[in-house]
Amino acid sequence: MQKNLLEIKDLKATVEGKLILNGVDLTIRPGEVHVLMGPNGAGKSTLANVIMGDPRFEVEEGNIVFEGEDISKEKPDARARKGIFLSFQAPEEIPGVTLENFLRASRAACSGKPVKIFAFKDELSENMKALGMDEAYAKRYLNVGFSGGEKKKSEILQLAMMNPKLAILDETDSGLDVDAVKLISENIARFRNENNAILIITHITKILQNLPIDYVHVLADGKIVKTGDASIVDTIVQEGFSSVLG
Amino acid sequence: MITHAKKIDRMPERTWSWLKVNTADIFLYAPEDKKEESVLIQASDKIEVRKDFTGVTFKTDPSKHLMNEEIESFIEQNSNIRYYIRIPKNHKEEEPIRITLEITDEYNVIGEDIVIEAEENSESTIIVEYRSKGKEEGYHSGRTRVLVHEKACLKLVRAQLFHDEVKHNDILGAQVQKEGKLTMIQAEMGSSGSTAGWNVLLSGEESEVNLDLVYVGEKEKKLDFTSRIEYQAAKTNGQVRARGVLLGKSKKILRDTLDFVSGSKEAKGREEEDVLMLSKNVRNISVPLLFCGEDDVQGEHAASSGRPSDSTLFYLMSRGLSEAEAKKLLAESKFAAILEEMKEEALKEEILSYLRVAIEEGGYMSEGF
Ligand SMILES: Nc1ncnc2c1ncn2[C@@H]1O[C@H](COP(=O)(O)OP(=O)(O)OP(=O)(O)O)[C@@H](O)[C@H]1O
Ligand SMILES: [Mg+2]
């Protein structure tokens, strides 16, 4: 059997003393596509952020193991350099830092080497094209004044440029028009291979169209209450969460 | 070396005293000799450069507002670098005029007195670099007076890049005539402590000034800035933007005055400040003031300051940047809007490098990631 990429055991996490994750277990192997669903406020974003190392959350119990190594105490940048990526539900706006400079700083930090400018620019322009992004956006300040959909594209651009081992996509599809969902879904499919894995948090299902789904998990009240195959998605969409939670 | 303890800012308004921010104590040092090996001026032969001020007169000397007679006569008696620079009428100087002053271990006291006259309808850029070599203590005190005549356009870039042991006091007074335009970018990056002040008189109708200040405070550094624009004529327009990063135990004060005097109908002014604080132990004081001696004017003030938010840092770090790298990027971003307007890439990079080094040296506070 192949080694686990991510292994989460009995994870409990709090924010300001309030328990949000109440014993999450989740295992992801290379090559797999996982979908995480659940009602609003269930703790999906919290789980994603805790995996990335968000300092606002306190891990009270359990651990997060990535490629055999406990990373629960690692800083977010160390996790990123190990190959974890989070596409944020609500990406930050950072005035004064252009998208291109940010990507370059990130590339330099992750590779530990100076970035070869021309190759980098080519790669950037190619990825922007694939996402239908105007190249002028590279010179704009990071997410500042970007529309909801543009912000999500900027996240997927970052995914493509960083090429992580584990991509966690937190509602990357929400707020996108039909064409944008299609583009993003194609780009995610383009990114996927047998060595990396994807965890997709979503309420809608269009984004899943181009992807072979291995597992669907349902998170409720801070716990994964059900895991199954792609068929659960349709049941949830048609009958609501009560059909799987009951 | 003679030492004088003096007040550089003779503030016109009594408002200050209760705030205890009215004056900056400074030390003035008289140079021992009048050697001049440490100044370099590059300009085309169309530009008049001479060492005496004969024939140079000011109806109102705009620098007087910032100092008392004692300091004035001190500067007049003791300056060892004295230049008059004139950009002639209708002339467009293509390349920037460069003035480089250098403090060295041997030549460690500079008293600078410069007059720049941009004649009618001329266009030019002047870059003044304040540099130092070696590591001994040094002192720089300077006065620069600028006259921008009708329809002249002058861009001044002043970069203070001294090392840590150099003290720096600087006064700039400018007067802008009808439809003239002065743009200034001042970068206060080095030195153990800076006291810098400027006073700009918008004397002619539709004259304009844009003043930009960037600075970094680190360690125990004290930064003391005074900015004043006096709108004397109708439809004048004057703006100040300050962007700073404070680290370690540094202290900064900026007194920023927009003074619309009678006659300044339809004048517009704006003062804007943005300070990034990367340590709990810094002190950041801002004293914005607006005086309106005319009703029909527009004065705006905007200020923001604070530490980077956890969510911003988390976002940047989630892309692989360490906390220090993330803070460096945020700090640089504060300067971006101002440095964007500078064409001199090498100088721009050098200004930013002061910022990066200050952060790398650990003058920032860890947010506990
Ligand atoms: N910083 C915080 N302070 C207080 N409560 C928080 C904080 N962050 C999250 N919570 C709470 O934790 C719970 C889980 O939030 P989370 O964002 O993880 O939900 P979600 O499953 O992603 O929901 P949605 O589908 O709406 O995105 C919610 O009740 C939320 O209010
Ligand atoms: Mg969420």
Side-chain angles (χ1 to χ4, degrees), chain A residues 49 53-55 75-77 80-81 85-86 88 92 94-97 102 105-106 109-110 141 143 155 158 162, chain B residues 309-312 314-323 325 329-330 332-334 336-337 340 366-369:
Chain A
N49 286 309
D54 189 336
K75 297 183 174 187
D77 54 313
R81 289 194 296 265
F85 176 89
L86 170 61
F88 285 68
E92 289 282 313
I94 316 224
V97 180
F102 178 51
S106 153
C110 290
Y141 291 148
N143 298 331
E155 292 293 283
Q158 295 176 45
M162 291 184 73
Chain B
S309 74
D310 274 357
S311 53
T312 299
F314 174 53
Y315 187 69
L316 295 174
M317 290 171 78
S318 80
R319 304 307 190 227
L321 305 181
S322 68
E323 192 178 336
E325 284 161 342
L329 203 64
L330 291 173
E332 285 179 31
S333 75
K334 285 283 174 242
E340 226 163 51
S366 174
E367 311 285 328
F369 279 86

Side-chain angles (χ1 to χ4, degrees), chain A residues 38-46 48-49 89-90 170-171 201 203:
Chain A
N40 292 134
K44 302 179 297 297
S45 294
T46 302
N49 286 309
Q89 182 170 359
D170 190 357
E171 292 197 32
I201 299 170
H203 290 296

Side-chain angles (χ1 to χ4, degrees), chain A residues 6 8 11 13 15 19-24 26 28 34-54 56-57 64 85-90 166-174 199-204 216-226 236 241 244-245, chain B residues 314:
Chain A
L6 179 77
I8 293 175
L11 185 66
V15 60
L19 190 69
I20 312 280
L21 298 181
N22 187 17
V24 172
L26 177 68
I28 298 178
H34 290 240
V35 175
L36 183 63
M37 300 184 82
N40 292 134
K44 302 179 297 297
S45 294
T46 302
L47 177 61
N49 286 309
V50 168
I51 296 173
M52 196 72 242
D54 189 336
R56 284 170 297 186
F57 299 99
I64 305 166
F85 176 89
L86 170 61
S87 166
F88 285 68
Q89 182 170 359
L166 173 65
I168 305 167
L169 311 179
D170 190 357
E171 292 197 32
T172 303
D173 49 1
S174 64
L199 175 62
I200 300 173
I201 299 170
T202 184
H203 290 296
I204 50 181
V216 178
H217 311 277
V218 179
L219 188 78
D221 295 328
K223 264 190 171 149
I224 289 181
V225 291
K226 186 168 179 92
I236 290 171
F241 282 112
V244 290
L245 296 180
Chain B
F314 174 53

Side-chain angles (χ1 to χ4, degrees), chain B residues 55 58 100-101 132 173 222 238 254 272 287 347:
Chain B
F58 292 89
T100 310
L101 285 91
S132 57
K222 288 196 180 75
L254 168 62
E272 189 189 308
V287 192
L347 186 58

Side-chain angles (χ1 to χ4, degrees), chain A residues 47-131:
Chain A
L47 177 61
N49 286 309
V50 168
I51 296 173
M52 196 72 242
D54 189 336
R56 284 170 297 186
F57 299 99
E58 208 61 62
V59 172
E60 305 289 349
E61 259 175 67
N63 48 24
I64 305 166
V65 175
F66 188 72
E67 293 192 306
E69 202 184 326
D70 187 351
I71 57 158
S72 341
K73 301 240 153 27
E74 298 276 8
K75 297 183 174 187
D77 54 313
R79 301 184 197 204
R81 289 194 296 265
K82 285 185 199 307
I84 303 177
F85 176 89
L86 170 61
S87 166
F88 285 68
Q89 182 170 359
E92 289 282 313
E93 296 190 5
I94 316 224
V97 180
T98 65
L99 177 58
E100 179 173 343
N101 285 349
F102 178 51
L103 285 167
R104 198 149 40 153
S106 153
R107 172 66 58 89
C110 290
S111 66
K113 282 185 294 205
V115 177
K116 294 203 179 82
I117 297 297
F118 289 108
F120 173 82
K121 278 190 185 280
D122 284 349
E123 192 184 331
L124 178 62
S125 115
E126 189 187 311
N127 281 315
M128 289 184 87
K129 237 179 249 152
L131 279 160

